[in-house]
DNA sequence: GATGAATGAGGATTCATTCAT
DNA sequence: AATGAATGAATCCTCATTCAT
């Protein structure tokens, strides 16, 4: 009520161009991504998003339920983008260590490229009770599930110990990355994705590789002694045969 | 709601009893802790905190700069409480594995006891640019630095590999715990602190223990068997050669 | 809500079938009547009316000036419907009391059948300054004028007192009915049209019937007897005095 | 959320005088009554009410839950005012007819004095589903119940017929008045409260008075005829005595 | 020192209506 | 004629913070 009263009044109108819905949605999402990134959720104004998108405020509500929905959609598309980007490259990566490192590194790159969005996900979306019903949750699952898959495959291949929960590995990795990058997300300085990815991957692998597989020193030593024994036996055998 | 109701309510706190400032502050902080925990930061009302503390809004501002400062003070006291509580027990814990497990477990207990405050720290305080200037930051440093200390000691004692950054270990642990507990913090079900602490500690230790020292028992066994084989072969070789 | 949903929905009404204008108008009015009835004026959405009518919003504006005009047209057609329905039956009703009762009862039935529309008329249309220029006003006049006609006829026939304003009778009846039915219109329970119509009609008629016709018969009788006594006494006196 | 963010920013302040709550409430209600009367509910702006009351918008919400509550409170106070005003005078009115006329007349005066508020009650408050839970409903009950009381007393005194529902009488009266005054409420011209009150009261009384008891015209006529008879008898008696 | 009334900025959201296609 | 995307004005309410009493 009341709204209706005013709405029935005549009003001026400056008509705009009629674009395909997709273009509009994309314009709005690009603008929203910018504004959310620059200002954070609370300080992002719908009016500014509209302005940057070259759209009137009301138009945003034709495509998005509300501000929060707009954020969610922006983040979703970011996740899809990330998942899509990596997919092809990831398929080409061979070896457990390299695969883990790849995932970690890509994740670090994403955070470094989009600190604003990362912060929003960590801070705003993930903490809401409805998060689990979100598509962002599912996308994030897909995103982080790669680690679970890699770990499972490594276990199946006998590379990794079988007594570790792949989910725990995933949480250690993504949680560790997050903790490590908070300072950066607070604008307290940069970090080196490559070094961090290497360190983190090493750490995790060290915890998971089965003994025989990994290069442990005194396994080496024993092996070397065996080799020497074998050599001596060979020499003996040669001598006996002369 | 019910603004009008207040006028009909008889004012309870007409002439305030003049209590010592410390008692006031403590009352306010207890009330604030409750309200922040129950409602989260944004939905916590200064008026409700004042009411529960038996003071008026204005009094809160005699002791706290603003709402945010009040939150910070509440969290600081929580951290001090936690640090104090653990200190004695921790001093009694012997052994690297046990110490790490102790810290992890206490942290998990804290989260489980105060999910509301935990969420506020993770979500609100830590993400603000001024976090690093906060005493909460320092307290948190103390809190998490225990891990760094343990790792350093273990390295010095030759238990842990020396090529790992203790800071990274700390981030893996606290980040991992955080990631693992988000579902709980969103009220999506409980978790078992003991099991989680064990698993996490195992994982981390596995990554850090030097070969001969610990874990990888069956690697050891295998190595010993290999050595025995080698010895036998050597004996054979010696016998054959005499 | 669900603005975003629309984009995912397949458009149903892509290429509109070109129906005769009358069919269009009728479809729209049927849909509008439903929606206005269900939601009331302010909460009725043009978009929902359009959807139910199987047209797009714009088409509604080809036939109706604006939302309000649509309401007015809907109510007009309802009135015409009511007037038409009753006309034949009414013509067959004989007797002042029965005619009044008929009008009241039909009115009560209408309210009971269409509480939503009734409320809109009482609440929205009638209170607007332009009401008197409305055709709804005229139709309502026709509708209520029946009472005026009945009263006038009854006065002319010597049944009703001539010193009462037929308009006042009309207002008492329709106002009384309205007051009596507000609770029902607020969904606070049903009413019995027949009883109410009887009671109301009785009340009104009691106020209007000329004395001789109705009550005070025995007062008359008494007076007549006294007159006769007086006459006899006069005759006696004359006889005695002569 | 979000609100809080802005609220924590510093802001300028132009401090106002500290008035007793009652004065404030009264100022606000006076202003609100004006604005609601002038503009109707939907077009009344809280900001204008605040301005006229010499108060900031927020202050209104210290005393009133929301705009609707403010309207309700304004109307309540109007009803209380009316009830209070009449009470003393009413107590002095003797006679059924005069009492009914008094109530009707006061009601008409009220409508004439406050057409804006009357319209709001008729149009807005009374049609809402929650009306029955309102104090306005109760006050209105008190207001209209006078008629019920008068009718009951008249029935008990043997003046009025006992077969009529006092509630129906009440609805006829107030409904009739309302119907009669709609044109005025739409600004379509004035009405004469006295004449209307007389006519309405007469009508109602005519419907209710028991035959022999009171002021019906042909009771008058009969009375006159009786008087003539009496005169004739007196003359006879005089003649007989000469 | 305590009180608590007063401040006042600030923005998401709705939906009837238009008019380019 | 039909479509339906785009328009955009317009307002209620909250609550941390202040400062006169």
């Amino acid at each position: 009520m009341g709204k209706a009263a005013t709405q029935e009044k005549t009003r001026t109108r400056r008509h705009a161009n009629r674009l395909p819905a997709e273009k509009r949605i994309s314009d709005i999402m690009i603008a929203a991504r910018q504004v959310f990134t620059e200002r954070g959720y609370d300080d992002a104004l719908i009016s500014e998003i509209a302005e940057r998108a070259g759209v009137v405020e009301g138009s945003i509500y034709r495509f998005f339920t509300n501000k929060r929905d707009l954020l969610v959609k922006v983040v979703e598309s970011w996740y899809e983008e990330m998942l899509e980007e990596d997919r092809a490259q990831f398929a080409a990566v061979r070896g457990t260590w390299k695969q883990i490192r790849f995932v970690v590194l890509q994740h670090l790159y994403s955070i470094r490229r989009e600190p604003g969005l990362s912060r929003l996900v960590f801070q705003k979306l993930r903490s809401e009770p409805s998060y689990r019903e979100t598509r962002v949750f599912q996308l994030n699952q897909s995103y982080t599930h790669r680690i679970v898959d890699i770990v499972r495959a490594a276990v199946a291949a006998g590379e990794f110990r079988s007594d570790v929960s792949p989910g725990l590995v995933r949480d250690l990795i993504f949680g560790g990355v997050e903790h490590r990058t908070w300072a950066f997300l607070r604008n307290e300085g940069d970090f080196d994705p490559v070094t961090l990815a290497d360190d983190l991957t090493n750490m995790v692998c060290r915890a998971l590789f089965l003994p025989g597989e990994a290069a442990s020193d005194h396994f080496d030593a024993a092996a070397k002694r065996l080799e020497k024994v074998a050599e001596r036996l060979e020499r003996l055998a040669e001598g006996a045969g002369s």
Side-chain angles (χ1 to χ4, degrees), chain A:
Chain A
M1 316 207 166
K3 276 85 188 246
T6 47
Q7 276 151 5
E8 272 166 49
K9 283 171 196 161
T10 345
R11 74 188 54 158
T12 47
R13 183 170 299 256
R14 161 172 39 99
H15 237 86
N17 44 343
R18 218 178 172 76
L19 275 74
E22 282 146 31
K23 170 68 176 148
R24 274 286 137 102
I25 291 173
S26 134
D27 285 352
I28 292 167
M29 283 180 65
I30 288 165
R33 183 157 162 178
Q34 280 175 16
V35 177
F36 281 135
T37 298
E38 289 172 22
R39 308 223 185 283
Y41 183 78
D42 288 333
D43 289 339
L45 302 191
I46 291 289
S47 55
E48 188 176 1
I49 294 171
E51 198 181 18
R52 291 209 204 174
V55 158
V56 142
E57 298 186 36
S59 296
I60 292 179
Y61 289 87
R62 271 196 23 84
F63 304 109
F64 305 94
T65 308
N66 51 35
K67 188 181 176 182
R68 162 72 222 229
D69 179 52
L70 179 52
L71 172 66
V72 167
K73 293 277 171 37
V74 164
V75 171
E76 277 173 15
S77 102
W78 177 46
Y79 264 92
E80 277 162 353
E81 200 181 294
M82 288 192 291
L83 284 165
E84 191 49 47
E85 257 178 42
D86 298 358
R87 214 186 304 277
Q89 298 179 59
F90 179 60
V93 180
R94 299 283 163 236
T96 301
W97 189 92
K98 289 197 171 172
Q99 287 183 336
I100 293 178
R101 201 196 90 125
F102 177 86
V103 172
V104 171
L105 188 56
Q106 295 306 319
H107 186 45
L108 288 166
Y109 282 147
S110 300
I111 290 173
R112 204 137 160 281
R113 236 180 294 125
E114 293 282 6
L117 289 182
S118 302
R119 204 164 34 213
L120 282 170
V121 173
F122 293 162
Q123 185 185 132
K124 173 120 193 113
L125 294 189
R126 190 181 46 194
S127 58
E128 301 192 351
S130 57
Y131 176 60
R132 211 170 190 107
E133 276 74 55
T134 309
R135 221 171 89 71
V136 174
F137 170 74
Q138 290 171 345
L139 287 163
N140 189 60
Q141 290 281 89
S142 310
Y143 190 75
T144 60
H145 205 75
R146 289 173 176 181
I147 290 294
V148 174
D149 290 337
I150 296 167
V151 170
R152 284 196 184 135
V155 168
E159 283 182 295
F160 274 4
R161 326 170 37 103
S162 58
D163 61 349
V164 182
S165 145
L168 186 58
V169 176
R170 179 202 56 204
D171 289 328
L172 273 173
I173 288 176
F174 287 95
V177 162
E178 203 177 311
H179 242 243
R180 198 78 191 164
T181 51
W182 264 117
F184 166 73
L185 292 176
R186 281 193 309 265
N187 289 314
E188 288 166 17
D190 206 354
F191 65 95
D192 175 24
V194 174
T195 309
L196 181 50
D198 283 350
D199 291 352
L200 228 152
T201 310
N202 278 335
M203 185 103 117
V204 167
C205 286
R206 232 174 265 131
L208 298 177
F209 274 128
L210 276 170
E213 306 282 341
S216 93
D217 301 320
H218 79 301
F219 175 88
D220 261 13
K224 277 171 189 155
R225 281 170 62 200
L226 273 176
E227 277 171 17
K228 284 179 186 161
V229 173
E231 277 168 28
R232 278 156 65 191
L233 286 172
E234 281 166 349
R235 273 193 298 274
L236 281 175
E238 276 167 18
S242 62

